[in-house]
Amino acid sequence: MASLEWFCAPRCYHVVKNYLHGQATQEHPLKQQTVNVTVAENNPLSLALALEGTDPLSKFARQDQELNDPLTQMSTQFSKRGNINEPEDNTLNWSTRRLGILNRFTTNEKLSLSTSFLCTSSAEGGGDNFKAQTVVADKVKYRLEQLDNFDDGSMRHMMDLTQQEYIQRFDQLKQELIQSWHNDQRVKALKIAIQCAKMLSDTSVLQFYPSQYILITDILDVFGKLVYERLRIKAEGAPGASAAVLQREREAARDTCQNWFYKIASIRELLPRLYLEMAIFKCYGLLAATQKEVEQVLLRLTSQLRGIADPLVSSYARCYLVRVGVPVTSSKVYIRDNFTDLFIIYPQIFRIVARYNLHPEIISAGAYLQLYSPAFDYMLQCLVHESELNAQEMLKECRHLKNNGAILLSILNSSKGEFVAAHAHEFLELINNCDTPGISKSQLLRPLGSCVSNCAPLQEQRLAFLNAAFQTINTLTDPNEYINCVETWTPFVAQYFTIHEVNRLLGELNSRMCLGKAYEKHYGQLQSILTRIMQNYRNIELLLIQPHFLPYLDLFHKESVRVEMCKSILSYYRQNSEDRTSDAVVTNALMYLGKILNDSVNALTVEDERRQISQLINSFINKVHFGKDLEQQLSFYVEGRGTFSNLDAVYVTLVHAALKLTMYASNRQGVKSLGFVKACIAYCFITIPSITSVQQKMDLYLLCGQLALRHLCLGQADACFEAALQLIDELPASTVDFEGKPRCMERYLVAYICNMLATLIVVPDSPEQGVLYFLRLLLDIVGRRNFKANSSAPSIIYLHVLDMLYVQSMERFPYHIDGVVSNDALYGHDPKFLVEVNNLCGQVVESILLQLKTLGAAQQQRTQAQLSMELFMRIVRYADLEREPLCQLAVKLWILANKAQAQLDTETIPQTLCSVEHFYKLVKDSSPVRAQTIAKLLLRMRDS
């Protein structure tokens, strides 16, 4: 194949940019518009009337937005509440404590259950037959038969149940009770409730009793609700009934209500009788004329509860009484009386504690006292709620009570933070004097620390209180108790005191936890302490420079824990620190933390972990700023390069930061500034090869070369461009994206080479390398690279090379860099230079024609036609069509594209024809000879 002779045509026209004119608007163009449809009002099928003028999709979107609006949700929930007779304050709502008790009090022991109602068939009860009976005598007879069927002789004893099986049996009993009630088997439902209440006297598995209480009282609550709802509906009567009928209905409901209480009063055993009466206590609202009568009933029940001997069972029974009383009355006299009775039997609790101290295999003294805490906490919270006087009275009685640890603990758990803060010294004195078996001082100090952390004492009292508290905490010899106390008190120290107290706290922790290597067993608490300090002490930079901060990190000898802690510290620094820091001590501390994270990265580290660590380190690198001291800033980057050698993303950040320094330095004048710029570029040139990713290295070399060119460092720019081009050989054909899918790199390579060619336009030739050295190197590398079969990437690259070569043939380039003498000024449009450019153009066109031949052999007509059209337009614009071979080549390309017209878009051929006509108009006045040649070409195009 004879080589093609190419001749570049000089540009004889001016390019005029057509700017778009702005237009003022009142609405954002992307704002969603509402379409209103106007139709006749008498049209019953009008969509606009049905949807209020909004299209269906907009209406659904508006509904979703309303549902997702938190204020709308809150308003909806508030409107649904209605007039429910429950305490408004959620702190007195027992249901919020239920799940916590079930999770806290568990057991591995086997449980037993006695009932006569599980696994019974519905036919036994005869509920369906009962519904058909209407005679009163038959109804009484049927219920007597029910009592005979459910006598105590039919009890079934289930032994060796696991906790999960035990819970499932109670769920079955609850469903059985509900089903019996809806089947009009009231007696059966009552018997189920009685048998469940009897089980509350069983304390064989002590550590499970609070959870057992929850399960059984759930059933009693359901029973009480069913009874109350039935009586309420009966009392309200039928809608629209007369006053006389409504009065009869109310009287009947009162009689039925009294009948229920009479039935329950006939129960022989005390415990189920009391629990059943408390379960339906809400029904007294239908009988009592005044609130005082309800309060008298509560006082009577309080007196009856004195008959329960077991203090644990008695405490939870009193708790249930308070539960049913709080929604009904605001009086707290009965609660106060319950505590008076509890204080009478309180010494009996510690006689039992002494017994379990002799037999710790059953239950420990501390665990036994913990069983009382849910009941005591709830009763105390109900008593002191919105009543500081009651809280003061309880605190006064607690002072005179022997072994007052359990009550004091409940007071701390139940009282508001303001009350505890006002009496902080008094509480601390009580804790110091407390010597309750089974209740350690650390158990009392922890809730006190939580309270003062949320609401601190007065400013003038805080320091004395803190010193007194830690004087007590430091007397704890058990490391576990000590670290748990300090963990709770940490927010108080960090939030209300200066950095000196925080530093002293860290120093005391260092001293105590190093004794006997206690830190090895308490990594979780040590992490929590430091996290709480950072959460409450916002000045993270001041914390980093404290003498005891970094030694505290040395307590984390386990590498995984230390790494997590360093990540946490850097994360808090990223969120809460100032935008910039120049403190050398802070910088050294951050470098120390970053080095720990960098050293934890190895070949087995997953990519997501690398990314997280890199982001944390990059965040503080970007915040370190030494102002006008650019040399110190570069020294910091040099230190960072040596410290973070395992993280490519950090190296990328360091390179970008150093390149940014060159722009700061360019504002300074003098030789010193130029030398600093060269040092920054040299730093980047040395750092980039350490990065693993070829793609990142190519991008950074190109950016580094562009900035070197911007600062007139031509030698360094040439070195960067050459290194970037040499890396193309190492670029893989495909890579794996973050989703694990392969991604072809040809599109990236085409975009990268286009960027490179745009830069090389203004790069002057080096006298040592020859004419257009970088472009020749690029063509050589592209020619060697193995692209995918039938890929259009090399053709696109060659077309852009042709664009770049045509710019090189121009007398003046369209853009320049200040101070850089580009090839247009360097060669001065020398004929020898133009011959070199034309020869390269010919080689490029031949390569494109070879690609066209290959595509034709592979039956890729569409790609071949598109490439033919692109080359045709470049020949028309760039080549001297007065040369017959070039004109014939243009015609052949046009014919080749027309052959595959069916494969192209319908507008491609007409648009190309219009483009040639437009180009003819551009050159018609400035170059008549060239215009005549184009006109002839247009005729041949139309003929073909």
Side-chain angles (χ1 to χ4, degrees):
M1 178 179 178
S3 60
L4 176 69
E5 291 187 9
W6 178 279
F7 297 93
C8 289
R11 175 178 288 185
C12 53
Y13 57 91
H14 296 286
V15 177
V16 180
K17 294 183 179 180
N18 297 321
Y19 294 97
L20 293 176
H21 297 287
Q23 183 178 358
T25 179
Q26 300 297 326
E27 294 183 353
H28 194 281
L30 299 181
K31 182 180 178 181
Q32 188 176 12
Q33 305 257 345
T34 301
V35 181
N36 293 322
V37 182
T38 304
V39 293
E41 293 184 0
N42 58 358
N43 184 2
L45 302 179
S46 170
L47 180 63
L49 290 177
L51 297 178
E52 301 178 57
T54 307
D55 65 281
L57 295 179
S58 299
K59 182 166 185 176
F60 294 150
R62 187 177 64 202
Q63 290 175 351
D64 291 339
Q65 185 178 3
E66 290 176 355
L67 290 175
N68 293 330
D69 181 17
L71 294 178
T72 305
Q73 290 180 350
M74 292 171 63
S75 175
T76 305
Q77 291 174 2
F78 183 79
S79 62
K80 289 181 179 179
R81 283 185 184 177
N83 296 324
I84 301 175
N85 293 325
E86 291 185 0
E88 295 181 1
D89 197 330
N90 199 40
T91 56
L92 303 186
N93 193 348
W94 176 261
S95 61
T96 59
R97 303 166 180 260
R98 180 181 179 278
L99 186 60
I101 296 173
L102 289 174
N103 291 334
R104 179 181 173 187
F105 298 97
T106 59
T107 182
N108 293 324
E109 294 187 28
K110 297 298 182 180
L111 303 166
S112 61
L113 186 148
S114 299
T115 180
S116 56
F117 298 102
L118 288 180
C119 303
T120 57
S121 63
S122 61
E124 285 182 3
D128 296 337
N129 296 330
F130 175 71
K131 288 182 180 180
Q133 298 173 1
T134 56
V135 182
V136 175
D138 292 339
K139 187 181 298 186
V140 173
K141 180 181 177 181
Y142 171 75
R143 288 182 173 169
L144 290 173
E145 290 175 354
Q146 274 190 309
L147 290 173
D148 292 336
N149 289 335
F150 301 141
D151 59 358
D152 290 338
S154 61
M155 294 288 287
R156 293 178 175 84
H157 301 283
M158 302 180 184
M159 312 295 290
D160 297 332
L161 297 176
T162 64
Q163 178 180 323
Q164 188 62 34
E165 293 170 344
Y166 190 78
I167 294 174
Q168 290 174 355
R169 295 297 185 274
F170 274 105
D171 287 339
Q172 292 174 11
L173 277 173
K174 185 192 296 184
Q175 296 302 321
E176 187 73 20
L177 184 147
I178 296 172
Q179 184 178 358
S180 301
W181 184 272
H182 292 312
N183 291 337
D184 288 338
Q185 295 177 326
R186 318 287 187 214
V187 175
K188 181 178 179 182
L190 178 61
K191 291 284 283 182
I192 293 174
I194 292 172
Q195 288 188 2
C196 289
K198 285 182 179 180
M199 296 180 204
L200 285 170
S201 62
D202 179 18
T203 58
S204 56
V205 185
L206 277 170
Q207 60 268 32
F208 188 67
Y209 187 81
S211 295
Q212 177 182 327
Y213 166 82
I214 291 288
L215 298 172
I216 294 174
T217 52
D218 281 351
I219 296 176
L220 297 179
D221 291 341
V222 169
F223 175 74
K225 184 178 180 181
L226 291 171
V227 173
Y228 176 77
E229 288 297 322
R230 179 172 180 269
L231 294 175
R232 183 184 61 80
I233 294 172
K234 194 171 185 179
E236 290 177 354
S242 63
V245 173
L246 290 176
Q247 182 63 28
R248 286 197 300 272
E249 290 290 338
R250 283 194 288 268
E251 290 297 330
R254 285 174 59 87
D255 292 341
T256 306
C257 182
Q258 287 179 338
N259 187 33
W260 272 107
F261 282 109
Y262 291 151
K263 288 178 185 177
I264 292 172
S266 64
I267 299 174
R268 293 189 300 270
E269 299 183 28
L270 175 64
L271 192 65
R273 182 169 72 248
L274 291 175
Y275 266 106
L276 265 295
E277 184 175 356
M278 291 187 289
I280 66 168
F281 183 80
K282 201 174 183 180
C283 299
Y284 274 115
L286 302 174
L287 298 177
T290 62
Q291 188 73 15
K292 189 174 181 180
E293 294 181 18
V294 175
E295 295 172 6
Q296 289 297 326
V297 175
L298 288 170
L299 293 174
R300 174 180 59 79
L301 289 171
T302 300
S303 301
Q304 287 181 283
L305 288 172
R306 297 170 184 167
I308 302 175
D310 192 312
L312 182 63
V313 178
S314 173
S315 299
Y316 277 93
R318 295 179 187 278
C319 177
Y320 192 66
L321 177 62
V322 174
R323 276 179 54 191
V324 300
V326 166
V328 176
T329 177
S330 59
S331 173
K332 299 185 179 182
V333 177
Y334 74 100
I335 306 178
R336 192 69 184 83
D337 288 353
N338 273 283
F339 271 105
T340 302
D341 294 343
L342 271 176
F343 290 153
I344 295 174
I345 67 170
Y346 190 72
Q348 183 184 351
I349 296 176
F350 288 92
R351 286 193 288 271
I352 299 175
V353 169
R355 187 195 317 159
Y356 286 128
N357 277 333
L358 298 176
H359 301 282
E361 68 278 1
I362 301 175
I363 190 173
S364 65
Y368 177 73
L369 288 177
Q370 288 296 317
L371 299 177
Y372 290 87
S373 61
F376 286 175
D377 290 353
Y378 182 75
M379 293 171 64
L380 270 167
Q381 193 151 33
C382 294
L383 178 63
V384 304
H385 181 66
E386 296 181 354
S387 176
E388 187 172 341
L389 181 61
N390 285 330
Q392 291 175 354
E393 290 179 358
M394 290 300 298
L395 188 60
K396 183 178 179 180
E397 291 200 21
C398 181
R399 179 181 291 274
H400 300 95
L401 193 65
K402 186 180 179 182
N403 294 325
N404 58 2
I407 298 297
L408 181 58
L409 183 61
S410 292
I411 293 175
L412 286 168
N413 289 331
S414 306
S415 300
K416 288 187 175 181
E418 293 82 359
F419 176 77
V420 176
H423 300 80
H425 286 281
E426 190 173 352
F427 276 108
L428 191 58
E429 182 183 353
L430 284 171
I431 292 172
N432 287 328
N433 297 330
C434 179
D435 191 17
T436 304
I439 302 290
S440 65
K441 289 185 179 180
S442 67
Q443 289 177 268
L444 299 171
L445 285 167
R446 287 201 296 273
L448 178 60
S450 298
C451 290
V452 296
S453 296
N454 296 326
C455 183
L458 296 176
Q459 178 72 35
E460 59 271 12
Q461 300 175 358
R462 290 176 188 172
L463 186 58
F465 173 70
L466 178 69
N467 292 331
F470 269 86
Q471 187 175 357
T472 304
I473 292 173
N474 290 333
T475 60
L476 301 175
T477 55
D478 185 0
N480 189 44
E481 292 184 354
Y482 173 79
I483 194 70
N484 286 332
C485 274
V486 174
E487 180 184 2
T488 310
W489 282 78
T490 297
F492 175 63
V493 179
Q495 192 172 357
Y496 298 106
F497 294 91
T498 64
I499 193 63
H500 301 292
E501 282 75 18
V502 175
N503 183 53
R504 192 180 72 178
L505 174 64
L506 294 176
E508 291 179 359
L509 280 167
N510 290 340
S511 302
R512 285 293 298 268
M513 300 313 294
C514 285
L515 297 176
K517 296 184 178 180
Y519 54 80
E520 294 180 348
K521 299 179 181 178
H522 302 97
Y523 284 135
Q525 291 93 330
L526 292 171
Q527 281 183 281
S528 176
I529 288 170
L530 193 53
T531 300
R532 294 184 179 194
I533 289 176
M534 291 187 293
Q535 286 174 341
N536 293 279
Y537 198 85
R538 293 296 179 183
N539 195 337
I540 184 69
E541 294 167 337
L542 191 57
L543 184 64
L544 288 172
I545 64 176
Q546 294 309 304
H548 294 297
F549 181 78
L550 292 182
Y552 183 85
L553 286 180
D554 293 335
L555 294 176
F556 301 99
H557 284 215
K558 191 176 180 180
E559 183 181 358
S560 59
V561 180
R562 176 182 287 200
V563 168
E564 286 301 318
M565 201 65 254
C566 291
K567 288 167 65 176
S568 178
I569 296 170
L570 289 179
S571 178
Y572 277 106
Y573 179 80
R574 178 174 61 180
Q575 298 169 6
N576 302 312
S577 67
E578 300 292 335
D579 292 338
R580 292 180 176 180
T581 182
S582 59
D583 191 291
V585 181
V586 174
T587 305
N588 289 335
L590 293 172
M591 292 290 285
Y592 175 76
L593 298 173
K595 180 172 174 54
I596 293 175
L597 294 180
N598 174 81
D599 295 344
S600 68
V601 175
N602 52 44
L604 301 178
T605 305
V606 296
E607 191 60 34
D608 187 62
E609 179 76 5
R610 288 176 179 268
R611 180 182 56 79
Q612 291 181 18
I613 293 175
S614 299
Q615 287 178 350
L616 291 173
I617 296 176
N618 289 339
S619 66
F620 89 76
I621 287 177
N622 291 326
K623 288 187 176 185
V624 174
H625 186 74
F626 293 100
K628 295 182 179 180
D629 193 351
L630 301 183
E631 287 77 9
Q632 188 177 359
Q633 189 82 32
L634 183 60
S635 299
F636 169 72
Y637 295 149
V638 172
E639 182 183 357
R641 181 177 63 190
T643 304
F644 309 120
S645 57
N646 296 333
L647 299 167
D648 284 358
V650 177
Y651 270 25
V652 173
T653 300
L654 289 172
V655 171
H656 280 288
L659 292 175
K660 192 183 296 184
L661 275 185
T662 63
M663 301 306 297
Y664 293 144
S666 64
N667 297 326
R668 303 192 305 185
Q669 302 295 328
V671 180
K672 185 177 180 181
S673 173
L674 181 60
F676 179 77
V677 169
K678 290 183 178 180
C680 291
I681 296 174
Y683 168 85
C684 297
F685 191 78
I686 296 172
T687 306
I688 292 173
S690 301
I691 299 173
T692 306
S693 172
V694 176
Q695 183 178 348
Q696 288 182 333
K697 288 196 287 187
M698 289 171 60
D699 291 334
L700 291 175
Y701 271 131
L702 178 57
L703 179 60
C704 188
Q706 289 170 342
L707 281 173
L709 197 63
R710 160 72 175 76
H711 294 98
L712 309 182
C713 302
L714 301 183
Q716 290 177 309
D718 290 348
C720 291
F721 293 140
E722 185 171 2
L725 292 173
Q726 296 291 352
L727 282 172
I728 294 178
D729 287 333
E730 302 178 16
L731 186 70
S734 62
T735 185
V736 178
D737 61 9
F738 65 94
E739 294 180 350
K741 299 177 181 179
R743 182 169 64 92
C744 183
M745 297 298 292
E746 289 187 356
R747 182 176 297 180
Y748 162 78
L749 181 60
V750 171
Y752 180 81
I753 290 179
C754 289
N755 191 356
M756 175 68 77
L757 289 170
T759 304
L760 292 180
I761 287 176
V762 294
V763 175
D765 288 339
S766 171
E768 300 175 358
Q769 305 291 350
V771 178
L772 299 176
Y773 166 74
F774 289 121
L775 184 61
R776 295 178 188 273
L777 179 61
L778 178 86
L779 291 173
D780 182 51
I781 292 172
V782 172
R784 293 199 309 262
R785 185 173 177 83
N786 293 322
F787 292 91
K788 291 195 305 183
N790 305 322
S791 172
S792 61
S795 302
I796 296 174
I797 293 172
Y798 288 136
L799 288 171
H800 288 294
V801 169
L802 200 59
D803 296 335
M804 185 263 190
L805 285 170
Y806 178 70
V807 174
Q808 291 288 325
S809 69
M810 297 169 58
E811 292 186 16
R812 180 170 176 79
F813 294 167
Y815 54 86
H816 295 82
I817 295 178
D818 293 339
V820 176
V821 180
S822 299
N823 285 342
D824 57 346
L826 187 65
Y827 291 106
H829 209 61
D830 187 83
K832 293 182 180 179
F833 175 71
L834 294 178
V835 170
E836 293 289 340
V837 171
N838 289 332
N839 290 338
L840 284 174
C841 288
Q843 296 175 18
V844 171
V845 171
E846 287 178 357
S847 299
I848 297 174
L849 294 176
L850 186 61
Q851 288 287 323
L852 286 172
K853 185 176 180 181
T854 304
L855 292 172
Q859 301 296 320
Q860 299 288 328
Q861 284 84 4
R862 178 181 175 84
T863 306
Q864 185 188 41
Q866 291 174 340
L867 179 58
S868 301
M869 198 63 71
E870 291 287 343
L871 181 57
F872 168 77
M873 285 304 302
R874 280 167 172 78
I875 291 175
V876 171
R877 290 182 178 275
Y878 302 157
D880 185 1
L881 293 180
E882 296 179 20
R883 311 282 180 171
E884 187 60 26
L886 291 175
C887 187
Q888 290 180 0
L889 177 60
V891 173
K892 290 180 181 179
L893 291 170
W894 174 258
I895 295 173
L896 180 63
N898 274 272
K899 287 182 180 179
Q901 186 173 0
Q903 303 285 337
L904 298 173
D905 295 336
T906 54
E907 297 296 326
T908 301
I909 298 297
Q911 287 178 355
T912 305
L913 195 59
C914 289
S915 297
V916 177
E917 292 174 352
H918 177 69
F919 186 70
Y920 167 75
K921 294 176 183 178
L922 283 176
V923 302
K924 180 175 62 174
D925 296 331
S926 58
S927 180
V929 177
R930 189 175 180 187
Q932 185 178 1
T933 307
I934 295 174
K936 293 179 182 178
L937 178 63
L938 280 170
L939 291 175
R940 298 172 71 174
M941 289 170 62
R942 291 191 179 98
D943 293 340
S944 60

